Amino acid sequence: MKKSVILISALLFALAAFGTTIRDIQYTADASGDSPLNGQTVTVSGIVTGEPYAFGGNTMYIQDAPEAWSGILVYLDSHVSELVGESVIVAEGDSVTVTGTVEEYNKLTRISDVSSLVVEADTVGCYPPITVPTDSLNQEKYEGCLVRVEDVVISTPDTNGGEWGVDDGSGEVFVDDESNAPYYFWPEEYEDCLSVTGLLHDDNSIYKIRPRLAWDIVGGYKTGESKIYTRIQRIQQVRYSDLLKTPQDYESDKSYFDGIDTTLNVKGIVTMPTGISYAGDGIKFILADEHSGPWSAILSYNADAAVYPDLLAGDVIEMSGYVDEFTRGNSNMTEFFLVGDIQLTGTVPVEAMPDTARIPTADMRHPVTAEQWGNSFVKIEDAFIIDNDREFYIFEVDDGSGSCLIGYDSDSLAARAGNDFMRAPTGTVLESVTGWVYHHHGSYEDSSTYNINPLYQDDIVVGEGPVMLLEAGRRPANVPESTHDVTVSIRAFTTRGIDTATVYYKVDDGEFTGI
């Protein structure tokens, strides 16, 4: 960490030698807290501590030293892509130079009216968060800085405005609600947190910590629990900038727990039972958080099929293990590997199962929309079959937004299991397809790295598509003479009723006639 900080400091020193430092903007002894450079146009360099994609694309945070008075919010006015173009990624840990106007907005010092945003160097690395007692965060000097509080109780689960309060015993500070950056934490269910990290934001002299994603909140004990569990969302969620990078580097979508030698406790609801999906000689199942939604499910695999008990959908389990990535080709699939035994703690009824998200088929075409649904059950609706002869897949479908693949990982659909599942013809309308999202094989060039895998034949509901025409025949089978009576036959199959059927024929190059 020291080496990283030295490299960051050297880079920023070189940039700041020709411009303004953030301290020049932020430091003030005035009781109002207003910047001495309020209203002035400045050029300032810093490390991105809160990337714009985490805050809707038009807000970011930068910092140029690991100390107070060194962080500031940059309000881009419009989406970041309008300043840097679609091909430039402005990510956490990048060194950037910003030109804009210092402004006081509801007691918050920020840079707005940004005319220039330049990435000087990417992946430089962030300064470590400034660890501060909760009562000390109610100070101007930490505004805009990346901060952390540790060993805090949840003193106010809900302020009725979405915020919640934490206290390490020295005084309360608030944590911003998830409307700014979703971090998938439910404070009303917890007694405490091991730590909370985020950017300190001043809202009319009320200071709030703004987490950037699930990784920033390390939950403590849930109410009534005697063990600390890691949220599946904290294992799975990665930064938006990393999802943008994945099609180029093929690895940025990996969990931040990957490679960390630590054992985690997780708890959730089984959504894919053991024994139904292909695992070679091993075994696998899917575990989901009760809250469902993005980033909420994870697959667990073991090469020894005897290690896991029989698990059914709806079983509530807890298990200890570690995170690893199953890499194959362009894909990285985050998996949870068991250490010890699985504990079955209960079951939930069908109505209490995690929700199934309705998504467009296009959501499967790029990591920025697909990765969040990894291992989760999703449903697509009103899609056409555009190809029913894709190798390794049942078919390719499109609801008009862009195609995606439907896989047959389940034994109830796979030809290897000896079933006779009939593939509907190209052009058939599917009322719906429900399945879990698999990041497996494929290519980013043709958007095929993600696919949806139904568990059962009933998960594929055929709608009102074209009639299937089967067993076409003619007598005589050879070329008939003009004196022959010709009989033609065909079997029509459809999910709808058939009122009439017309056969069209022609003689030589004449017009078609219907009978």
Side-chain angles (χ1 to χ4, degrees):
M1 180 62 73
K2 284 186 177 180
K3 185 176 181 180
S4 296
V5 171
I6 291 171
L7 291 173
I8 294 168
S9 298
L11 176 62
L12 292 180
F13 177 79
L15 294 170
F18 302 99
T20 304
T21 67
I22 295 176
R23 183 182 177 88
D24 292 336
I25 301 171
Q26 288 283 38
Y27 181 78
T28 178
D30 194 289
S32 70
D34 289 353
S35 168
L37 302 184
N38 186 24
Q40 296 186 29
T41 298
V42 298
T43 295
V44 63
S45 298
I47 301 296
V48 178
T49 51
E51 64 181 44
Y53 316 108
F55 301 99
N58 62 358
T59 296
M60 60 186 288
Y61 292 81
I62 61 174
Q63 192 167 323
D64 63 3
E67 57 192 29
W69 304 110
S70 64
I72 194 166
L73 181 149
V74 179
Y75 181 62
L76 303 173
D77 303 294
S78 57
H79 193 275
V80 62
S81 61
E82 296 185 23
L83 278 166
V84 298
E86 295 288 349
S87 62
V88 178
I89 301 170
V90 182
E92 181 182 315
D94 288 353
S95 173
V96 299
T97 297
V98 177
T99 299
T101 303
V102 177
E103 178 188 37
E104 294 295 334
Y105 180 81
N106 289 337
K107 300 293 185 180
L108 170 72
T109 303
R110 68 183 192 181
I111 298 174
S112 62
D113 295 324
V114 175
S115 59
S116 175
L117 171 59
V118 178
V119 177
E120 304 289 354
D122 60 11
T123 324
V124 174
C126 273
Y127 291 111
I130 305 170
T131 301
V132 185
T134 51
D135 68 333
S136 298
L137 286 178
N138 295 308
Q139 298 183 56
E140 180 77 15
K141 65 181 181 179
Y142 294 115
E143 177 189 270
C145 292
L146 184 64
V147 298
R148 174 177 292 163
V149 294
E150 297 178 335
D151 299 322
V152 293
V153 299
I154 297 177
S155 48
T156 305
D158 187 356
T159 63
N160 294 321
E163 293 86 7
W164 45 289
V166 295
D167 192 337
D168 63 4
S170 64
E172 187 176 55
V173 68
F174 292 113
V175 182
D176 213 348
D177 66 82
E178 294 192 50
S179 64
N180 290 298
Y183 47 80
Y184 307 101
F185 183 75
W186 297 269
E188 67 278 3
E189 299 177 6
Y190 285 79
E191 296 177 355
D192 51 26
C193 289
L194 300 184
S195 68
V196 177
T197 301
L199 290 312
L200 193 68
H201 185 72
D202 185 351
D203 184 5
N204 275 316
S205 298
I206 299 175
Y207 293 91
K208 305 171 185 177
I209 301 173
R210 277 188 169 176
R212 300 159 295 181
L213 75 174
W215 182 258
D216 279 343
I217 299 180
V218 186
Y221 289 99
K222 277 193 167 185
T223 302
E225 299 279 12
S226 58
K227 186 184 295 184
I228 293 176
Y229 298 96
T230 299
R231 309 187 309 287
I232 294 175
Q233 291 88 345
R234 187 165 188 264
I235 296 172
Q236 290 282 37
Q237 189 187 19
V238 297
R239 289 182 289 273
Y240 191 92
S241 62
D242 284 339
L243 298 176
L244 289 172
K245 295 174 183 177
T246 297
Q248 283 75 49
D249 66 19
Y250 308 121
E251 63 180 18
S252 289
D253 56 357
K254 291 182 179 180
S255 169
Y256 303 143
F257 278 104
D258 181 48
I260 297 179
D261 184 17
T262 187
T263 300
L264 307 173
N265 302 315
V266 298
K267 188 175 186 178
I269 300 170
V270 174
T271 52
M272 182 182 78
T274 53
I276 190 172
S277 289
Y278 180 72
D281 294 329
I283 192 169
K284 68 184 182 184
F285 70 95
I286 291 175
L287 185 67
D289 186 277
E290 63 179 324
H291 297 95
S292 62
W295 311 107
S296 64
I298 195 165
L299 183 143
S300 184
Y301 164 83
N302 201 291
D304 183 354
V307 168
Y308 293 164
D310 291 335
L311 297 173
L312 303 177
D315 285 347
V316 180
I317 67 167
E318 60 179 72
M319 58 189 295
S320 299
Y322 62 93
V323 175
D324 200 1
E325 296 285 339
F326 176 69
T327 299
R328 191 164 187 173
N330 294 335
S331 65
N332 302 295
M333 183 157 160
T334 306
E335 298 185 9
F336 194 73
F337 289 85
L338 176 69
V339 174
D341 298 314
I342 290 176
Q343 305 296 321
L344 178 64
T345 62
T347 58
V348 299
V350 172
E351 60 269 19
M353 289 288 287
D355 291 338
T356 298
R358 271 68 170 173
I359 66 168
T361 51
D363 271 15
M364 292 295 99
R365 297 183 61 81
H366 195 283
V368 297
T369 49
E371 183 70 17
Q372 63 184 328
W373 302 117
N375 306 135
S376 295
F377 277 80
V378 299
K379 176 182 281 190
I380 58 173
E381 298 175 318
D382 300 323
F384 287 87
I385 297 175
I386 63 173
D387 190 345
N388 72 342
D389 193 27
R390 286 292 297 260
E391 188 177 12
F392 306 123
Y393 299 97
I394 303 174
F395 34 58
E396 184 177 2
V397 301
D398 192 340
D399 64 4
S401 63
S403 68
C404 75
L405 297 169
I406 307 300
Y408 52 63
D409 190 68
S410 170
D411 286 347
S412 68
L413 296 167
R416 64 174 176 273
N419 65 71
D420 58 354
F421 177 72
M422 180 180 291
R423 302 184 185 201
T426 299
T428 299
V429 176
L430 299 176
E431 183 177 313
S432 66
V433 179
T434 302
W436 62 280
V437 175
Y438 201 173
H439 189 193
H440 191 223
H441 295 294
S443 167
Y444 289 114
E445 281 68 33
D446 65 0
S447 302
S448 61
T449 55
Y450 297 88
N451 53 81
I452 298 174
N453 287 262
L455 293 186
Y456 310 104
Q457 294 186 20
D458 288 347
D459 289 335
I460 301 173
V461 181
V462 177
E464 294 187 352
V467 175
M468 296 174 66
L469 302 178
L470 308 173
E471 301 172 9
R474 182 186 67 195
R475 292 182 182 179
N478 57 350
V479 178
E481 301 289 341
S482 60
T483 58
H484 289 166
D485 290 329
V486 179
T487 302
V488 296
S489 64
I490 192 166
R491 186 164 69 91
F493 174 80
T494 179
T495 56
R496 297 178 289 177
I498 299 177
D499 295 326
T500 59
T502 303
V503 176
Y504 290 87
Y505 73 94
K506 68 177 181 177
V507 178
D508 295 328
D509 294 326
E511 298 294 326
F512 277 104
T513 301
I515 58 173

